[in-house]
Amino acid sequence: MLADYGIPDRTLNGTELDDLAVLAAGIDKVPFATVMLEQQSGRFLHANAPFKDGWHRVSARPDARDLANLVDPDDRPALALMFEQAASFPGVPAAAVQLRVPLADGTIKWALASCSLGPASKGAENPAAIVQLADISPQKRAEDDIAAREIRWNSALVSSVSGVWDHHYAVGQKYYSPTWRLIRGMSADDPLPPTKDAWIKLLHPDDVEFTLHAMERQEAGDPEFQMFQYRERHADGHWIWIECRGACIERAPDGRPLRVVGTDTDVTARKQAEHGRAQMSRRLEMALSISGVGVYEADMVSGEVYWDERMYEMYGLDPSAPVSVGRTWESFLHADDRPRVLASVASNTQQNRRYWDQYRIVLKSGEERVIRSCFMSFVDTDGHLKMVGANWDITKDVTLQQELERARLLAEARNRELETARVDIEHNAMHDYLTGLPNRRYLDDVLMRQAHRCAVDGGSLAVLHIDLDGFKQINDTLGHNAGDAILRHAALVLKDSARADEFVARIGGDEFVLVTPAVGGARKLSSLADRIIRQLRKPVLHEGRECRFGASIGIAWSQGTEIDAKQLLLNADMALYRAKNAGRNRHEFYSPDTHQEIVRAKRTADDILLGLEEGQFLPAYQLQFDARTLDVCGAETLARWQHPQHGLLTPEHFLSTAEDIDAVAMIDAIILDHALKDFARWRASGVPVPKISANVSYRRLLDPTLLRKLTRKNIAAGTLSFELLESTFLDDCGEDVMRTLEQLKRLGIEIEIDDFGSGHASIVSLLRLNPSALKIDRQLVKQLPESAGQRRLARSIVEIGKSLNIKVIAEGVETMAHASILKELGCDVLQGFALAKPMPFEEVGPFIRAQSWRQACC
């Protein structure tokens, strides 16, 4: 060891030295801290200046006489081991050990100690040990710093829950930390995706393109993509958000990335929180927008003010207009409110508390608004006094409150009037507004009280249910004013007919009820009903026109405890139904048979409605003949009901019920549609039927869609005529119906008057309607062979027709005698069983071709 420092011989200044002296002289020349020790005891034998100055004197034990006491006690075993190794292998340096030497200033100095055995001194059995110390404190501090940094880095990674990844493309290695795996739900043993394509399948479909582009830009060193976020599927199946931070730390000469490292962080919770905050912000914004609240913040130090868009809208300002403390808001305050409001704001700003106020503002347009304001002041983190608040435009609310207040005052002022009106309202609630009679509600109350009285005293009670006959026709033809006049007249007649102990009510439409004690039984009640009918049948003059109507009355009566008020009224209603079906202008008493009639009528009504749905109503045709030539000149369309149980029914079996349920117009429409189709088939097959006629009800002519429907059918002019009843259409024909009839004529549809001679039509009405034909009522035709008077009446009708250029048709021609007389009277057309009975479509063609009616005449 000493030879390395140029100690070649055993002399010192020409003096021969022993081995230890030579060794000590050599130690002094060594520049490193070197000490010679006694091998057994470790006692210092000799030390050079670097050892003394650099280790011994500055140590915490400058009095130490051996190396063991100089080093840290924990390092003494390592020191002993080094000595042991040196003794075991003489001539071979022992392995160096690191020793700590505590210094006097409290610090530690690290030494790298190496040991070898020297020569023994004279007379000594054991050689001396040579120990050299190298100061490695700087290296140890560097190592400790590196270790500390590594600990801090690992702790930071663990605490940040970030997974580390390292793509070392140069050596073909990729590293992923346990946290990186944990983020994705993977254990340490779970295999990684084998290929990039397999990993891409784990990406959210919406993020694939962006992620690949971001990775490429990150490896290229683009600072915009040093951090990016994407979604990846967790091992459990749900999506997680990954925040990837990375950078290329090593590149090839051509710029290719050789090593890219970075971290992945699970930011799913943060993204969800951001989404929640966004939702909360959106809900708050929507709530503010819906409520119309304007929000502001003012910095009282800098003078800066923030207004949201509703504040600008509320104050009528352009959003680009500057807003500042002390000028903008204050300029809008109403002159009368400004001093109070500004003083309140200043006072409450100083007191640092929430404050509410209400004031008026005046917009630049001059519009005045009322504002409700709430604000609170606070000191922000920058030390500035700030104010945050909200405004509401409550102009409409204030206006409403003012209006309500005025309404309240007005209500109080009218309190006396309302009290008077209350009495009127109570009266109106129990009376019919048109006639002034008690209404159904009042009637029910009276019936209940009267029934209770009869149950107590054993008296009797009768109900007369009165319905006006012909009222509907008057109302439809002359209008509602005429109808109202008739109802008032009927109410007056009934009141005049009633005694003091009798009660009269109008229960709806043209229906009235008279309640009377049934004193005298059925005979008295019958006499009362007849008297009412006679009074109601008297003509009524309305606006210069004479109106005629009648009445049907249903009577039900009972006595004592057996009276059920509701059932008594129902029984009278059923009796009324029987009276109307029996011919009207009459009265009927309720009996159990009446109930059965109602049930049958209800069943018939239901059957009619079902028959309309299932197409059970069909036409039959009765041919009409020229009175002179007996050629077929037309066919009247007649309604027939092919009932599934009762067979083929004529109108007398169902017409009355059909009128009650307003089904006549529907039946007319169905029959007409069939007839037009049959007429077209006759023409196509050459059957010589020049025209057809069909009955039409008054209500059908009021249908606003009738003309449009007929126009679409393209009916040839002169091939169709509508038959109208004289009793319905002459004298009482309204203007609406007259306009409809004129439009029908313009469509080429002729108008005929049916049953002429059975009513009270005037020549003026006939001229006003201007029909193409008159049909003599069959009751006049029936008695022609026996009655000269009837023949004179028939001749008069024919002469009226000819004078007005109106064709005359005779129906009810039952015998050839009828045909002969009517021909002599000048009648134009004949129709009746003597010539042809009503027949279905299929029989018309063969009948006409057979010409059998001519054989009968001959």
Side-chain angles (χ1 to χ4, degrees), residues 252-492:
D254 60 1
R256 287 181 297 104
L258 297 179
R259 190 174 186 182
V260 183
V261 297
T263 60
D264 281 359
T265 305
D266 183 353
V267 295
T268 305
R270 189 176 78 196
K271 295 291 287 188
Q272 290 174 344
E274 290 174 355
H275 180 66
R277 287 193 296 272
Q279 283 186 319
M280 180 63 71
S281 177
R282 183 168 58 254
R283 285 195 291 268
L284 178 59
E285 179 64 25
M286 291 178 65
L288 290 173
S289 178
I290 293 170
S291 64
V293 175
V295 178
Y296 68 89
E297 180 177 297
D299 189 325
M300 309 305 289
V301 176
S302 67
E304 296 178 354
V305 177
Y306 163 77
W307 277 11
D308 69 3
E309 61 181 61
R310 283 173 292 278
M311 284 290 293
Y312 281 101
E313 181 181 350
M314 200 178 302
Y315 285 79
L317 274 182
D318 188 283
S320 62
V323 181
S324 59
V325 173
R327 287 196 300 270
T328 309
W329 171 73
E330 292 80 356
S331 67
F332 286 97
L333 293 175
H334 193 286
D336 295 342
D337 295 348
R338 184 180 293 113
R340 175 188 61 81
V341 175
L342 293 179
S344 297
V345 169
S347 172
N348 286 278
T349 300
Q350 294 172 0
Q351 294 177 13
N352 193 26
R353 65 184 183 188
R354 188 168 58 180
Y355 172 68
W356 294 86
D357 201 355
Q358 181 174 315
Y359 49 84
R360 292 167 293 173
I361 63 173
V362 181
L363 306 187
K364 292 182 178 180
S365 63
E367 178 186 351
E368 185 176 305
R369 292 182 178 177
V370 182
I371 302 297
R372 178 74 166 162
S373 177
C374 175
F375 74 85
M376 176 179 284
S377 59
F378 66 99
V379 177
D380 208 346
T381 54
D382 58 4
H384 289 194
L385 177 65
K386 294 184 178 180
M387 179 192 299
V388 64
N391 280 188
W392 293 264
D393 181 355
I394 60 171
T395 307
K396 292 182 179 178
D397 295 337
V398 171
T399 302
L400 178 59
Q401 290 175 359
Q402 293 171 348
E403 291 176 354
L404 290 175
E405 179 62 18
R406 285 195 295 270
R408 184 185 66 81
L409 295 175
L410 183 61
E412 291 177 354
R414 292 179 177 175
N415 188 48
R416 191 176 298 111
E417 297 177 12
L418 290 176
E419 181 61 25
T420 303
R422 183 184 63 80
V423 178
D424 295 337
I425 291 172
E426 291 180 355
H427 178 271
N428 293 336
M430 303 292 285
H431 291 77
D432 171 46
Y433 75 96
L434 180 63
T435 63
L437 291 177
N439 58 16
R440 176 61 183 267
R441 181 180 173 188
Y442 199 166
L443 170 66
D444 290 341
D445 183 59
V446 168
L447 280 175
M448 293 297 293
R449 286 190 280 108
Q450 291 284 15
H452 179 71
R453 179 189 57 78
C454 293
V456 173
D457 61 17
S460 59
L461 185 66
V463 172
L464 279 71
H465 193 163
I466 305 158
D467 183 87
L468 302 184
D469 296 330
F471 171 78
K472 188 175 183 181
Q473 176 183 339
I474 294 173
N475 202 47
D476 288 345
T477 56
L478 300 182
H480 293 294
N481 288 336
D484 291 347
I486 294 301
L487 292 173
R488 285 190 289 267
H489 170 78
L492 185 60

Side-chain angles (χ1 to χ4, degrees), residues 643-677:
H643 196 282
Q645 282 84 38
H646 306 303
L648 192 66
L649 301 180
T650 54
E652 57 264 25
H653 293 92
F654 61 83
L655 187 59
S656 176
T657 303
E659 288 177 347
D660 291 337
I661 62 174
D662 288 333
V664 175
M666 294 177 63
I667 295 173
D668 286 351
I670 291 172
I671 297 301
L672 178 60
D673 286 342
H674 278 294
L676 291 174
K677 293 176 183 177

Side-chain angles (χ1 to χ4, degrees), residues 366-650:
E367 178 186 351
E368 185 176 305
R369 292 182 178 177
V370 182
I371 302 297
R372 178 74 166 162
S373 177
C374 175
F375 74 85
M376 176 179 284
S377 59
F378 66 99
V379 177
D380 208 346
T381 54
D382 58 4
H384 289 194
L385 177 65
K386 294 184 178 180
M387 179 192 299
V388 64
N391 280 188
W392 293 264
D393 181 355
I394 60 171
T395 307
K396 292 182 179 178
D397 295 337
V398 171
T399 302
L400 178 59
Q401 290 175 359
Q402 293 171 348
E403 291 176 354
L404 290 175
E405 179 62 18
R406 285 195 295 270
R408 184 185 66 81
L409 295 175
L410 183 61
E412 291 177 354
R414 292 179 177 175
N415 188 48
R416 191 176 298 111
E417 297 177 12
L418 290 176
E419 181 61 25
T420 303
R422 183 184 63 80
V423 178
D424 295 337
I425 291 172
E426 291 180 355
H427 178 271
N428 293 336
M430 303 292 285
H431 291 77
D432 171 46
Y433 75 96
L434 180 63
T435 63
L437 291 177
N439 58 16
R440 176 61 183 267
R441 181 180 173 188
Y442 199 166
L443 170 66
D444 290 341
D445 183 59
V446 168
L447 280 175
M448 293 297 293
R449 286 190 280 108
Q450 291 284 15
H452 179 71
R453 179 189 57 78
C454 293
V456 173
D457 61 17
S460 59
L461 185 66
V463 172
L464 279 71
H465 193 163
I466 305 158
D467 183 87
L468 302 184
D469 296 330
F471 171 78
K472 188 175 183 181
Q473 176 183 339
I474 294 173
N475 202 47
D476 288 345
T477 56
L478 300 182
H480 293 294
N481 288 336
D484 291 347
I486 294 301
L487 292 173
R488 285 190 289 267
H489 170 78
L492 185 60
V493 169
L494 292 173
K495 283 191 290 186
D496 291 343
S497 301
R499 300 192 307 265
D501 59 348
E502 294 175 338
F503 177 83
V504 179
R506 180 190 176 207
I507 61 174
D510 58 349
E511 296 183 43
F512 299 84
V513 167
L514 188 147
V515 180
T516 180
V519 179
R523 183 179 60 82
K524 288 284 187 179
L525 293 173
S526 180
S527 175
L528 173 61
D530 287 337
R531 185 172 73 252
I532 291 173
I533 292 173
R534 285 195 303 271
Q535 291 295 323
L536 291 176
R537 291 193 68 181
K538 294 179 180 180
V540 178
L541 194 64
H542 173 70
E543 295 182 353
R545 303 186 69 170
E546 192 176 78
C547 300
R548 294 179 179 272
F549 65 97
S552 297
I553 300 177
I555 306 172
W557 65 289
S558 185
Q559 64 182 16
T561 58
E562 298 177 358
I563 297 177
D564 181 336
K566 292 183 178 179
Q567 188 60 47
L568 190 63
L569 184 60
L570 181 61
N571 292 345
D573 182 57
M574 288 188 281
L576 171 64
Y577 183 85
R578 184 175 185 181
K580 293 181 75 68
N581 282 347
R584 304 175 187 255
N585 285 313
R586 55 183 292 135
H587 68 271
E588 290 285 346
F589 283 89
Y590 170 78
S591 68
D593 292 340
T594 305
H595 180 72
Q596 293 302 319
E597 287 184 25
I598 297 296
V599 171
R600 285 193 296 271
K602 178 63 169 60
R603 186 180 298 116
T604 300
D606 292 341
D607 288 349
I608 289 173
L609 296 176
L610 180 63
L612 289 170
E613 293 178 1
E614 296 184 353
Q616 296 174 7
F617 287 90
L618 301 170
Y621 302 98
Q622 188 170 29
L623 296 175
Q624 296 172 333
F625 301 88
D626 186 291
R628 293 180 299 278
T629 65
L630 292 184
D631 292 336
V632 174
C633 60
E636 181 181 359
T637 305
L638 305 172
R640 295 292 185 266
W641 181 10
Q642 187 63 55
H643 196 282
Q645 282 84 38
H646 306 303
L648 192 66
L649 301 180
T650 54

